[in-house]
Amino acid sequence: MEKATSAKLRVLSFIAMIMIIYLHSYNLAVKFNGVDVPIAKNYNSFVQVFISDGITRIAVPLFAAISGFLFFYNFKPSTQAFLNKYKKRFNSLFIPYILWSAWGLLFFFILQILPQSRKFFNSTLIKDYSLNKLLEVLFWDPLPYQLWFVRDLLILVLLSPIIYLILRYLKIVGLLLFFVIWLFDFSLLMLKPDTIFFFSFGAYLSFHAQAFLQSRYPGLAKVALVLYIVLLMVKTWFFQINYTPNFAPFLLKGVIVCGAFAAWYLYDFVTENRDISNSTFYQYSGFSFFLYAFHEPVLTLFKKGTLAVIGKSQVAMFAAYLVLPLIVITLALITGAILKKYMSGFYSLLTGGR
């Protein structure tokens, strides 16, 4: 893969990761002692919904599409080739998944036995888990809830021969089948429709990698960006006036399509004639996976703890929403850098060799 393409995928993944953290920074539905904080429709709700239920919603599709593209890029199908892919993904996905899931269990267990933090937990305590429940949480329903995406990727990797056959022999018809699954939110093998379609979409693009990577649509990308913002404004305004039209799910789909298209092609416009690999931002982007795995449950703990201390006024919630992600990102980057420098082997296990 060309250096420029590799850098593009890495930087876009890092931007998507920052989006994920702001998606999870949403605090309008935070519970205290089992009670939801009331949502007042004002500047705070508008900004949080516009960003966390709008701008950031392209992050997971981007991750899934990039994962599908990289899995099948220059792929020559054979039984051995798929087995080699399974082995690599075991190291890069399954091992980090289990390690971070176990870390979540330990982290929550410690917090639940401390009097100062016990009040923030309303569900069953880990010390009261049965063995079956413990195994379920460790392997299937991890407490760091963002790991659902890695779980879905692991399933998609196992299903990759089937996905390959569908896309290779049904071609665009096969892709349309996956698109319909996403468009109408059909559940399939407990996988989220977003990951099914966009992983398959990335795989389909990898079959036509040369034409895809050489394509440039700056004009269409600018139009897509305008549509992205307009659709986001409309969607957020509907939320503000407590109106949910029948086409609301399709409105969100339009936001995702326009936003992802704009992000992919405007990147080339922004970085034209620049070697992005020399930038500080590019160096930070190497910590994308660590940032993904580390930020929860740390961010949730910070949210609940901060609002418990400074109060739950609209100003406090708005300030927490904007500032806490920056603190968590900084903490994650510092922690990741220290581990990478002084415990490189362990860091490699945690990040799947990334």
Side-chain angles (χ1 to χ4, degrees), residues 308-332:
V309 172
I310 67 176
K312 308 174 190 68
S313 68
Q314 292 300 308
V315 173
M317 295 175 76
F318 186 63
Y321 173 75
L322 294 178
V323 175
L324 290 181
L326 300 178
I327 295 175
V328 171
I329 290 169
T330 301
L331 179 61

Side-chain angles (χ1 to χ4, degrees), residues 6-20 59 62-63 66-67 70 285 288-289 291:
S6 178
K8 181 177 184 176
L9 296 176
R10 173 168 159 164
V11 170
L12 286 178
S13 294
F14 188 58
I15 293 172
M17 188 59 251
I18 294 173
M19 288 183 175
I20 289 290
L62 279 174
F63 276 134
I66 290 172
S67 297
L70 291 176
S285 68
S288 289
F289 187 87
L291 192 55

Side-chain angles (χ1 to χ4, degrees), residues 9 69 119 183-184 279 286-287 343:
L9 296 176
F69 182 84
K119 61 184 178 182
L183 188 64
F184 295 99
S279 68
F287 292 97
M343 301 176 67

